[in-house]
């Protein structure tokens, strides 16, 4: 259990790096979504609502990336902030559940 939690925490840390790159314009939103699809250990270590929320955020990030300027429906800053909150909550959950 601790090993899978540590693997999931490593994925959360990498996701933080990718979010920072996305904010800096060094990564496209679709690449982050593709990366998450391959991180089954992360999603499996979290309760199902985490996956639902993350998928929704990633879908909105990809859709919002189609706009060159901020739109009232797809504020990139708000989506980045929401993804940061997801990362923080996922890390907190994993640390509590794995006692690491």
């Amino acid at each position: 259990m601790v090993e899978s939690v540590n693997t999931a925490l490593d994925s959360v840390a990498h996701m933080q790096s990718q979010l920072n790159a996305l904010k800096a314009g060094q990564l496209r939103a679709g690449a982050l979504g593709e990366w998450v699809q391959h991180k089954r250990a992360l999603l499996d270590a979290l309760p199902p609502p985490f996956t639902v929320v993350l998928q929704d955020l990633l879908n909105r990030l990809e859709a919002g990336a189609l706009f060159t300027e901020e739109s009232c429906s797809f504020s990139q800053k708000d989506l980045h902030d929401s993804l940061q909150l997801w990362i923080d909550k996922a890390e907190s959950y994993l640390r509590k559940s794995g006692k690491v």
Side-chain angles (χ1 to χ4, degrees):
M1 169 77 169
V2 172
E3 185 175 326
S4 65
V5 169
N6 286 336
T7 300
L9 281 168
D10 289 345
S11 292
V12 169
H14 187 73
M15 187 179 221
Q16 180 67 62
S17 300
Q18 290 205 320
L19 176 58
N20 293 341
L22 181 68
K23 289 177 181 179
Q26 300 167 340
L27 182 74
R28 61 180 181 78
L32 179 59
E34 292 167 11
W35 177 82
V36 167
Q37 296 304 319
H38 293 55
K39 294 301 170 187
R40 211 26 56 208
L42 170 60
L43 299 177
D44 289 345
L46 296 166
F50 275 88
T51 300
V52 172
V53 170
L54 181 59
Q55 291 301 330
D56 180 59
L57 286 171
L58 293 173
N59 287 340
R60 289 190 288 149
L61 265 174
E62 288 186 50
L66 299 173
F67 299 98
T68 55
E69 296 182 21
E70 293 289 314
S71 135
C72 61
S73 297
F74 296 105
S75 167
Q76 292 297 300
K77 182 189 178 321
D78 289 347
L79 290 171
H80 293 164
D81 291 347
S82 294
L83 189 54
Q84 182 64 62
L85 181 61
W86 186 95
I87 289 169
D88 294 343
K89 287 185 179 269
E91 180 179 18
S92 176
Y93 176 86
L94 290 167
R95 289 193 183 284
K96 287 178 186 173
S97 70
K99 310 281 191 279
V100 290

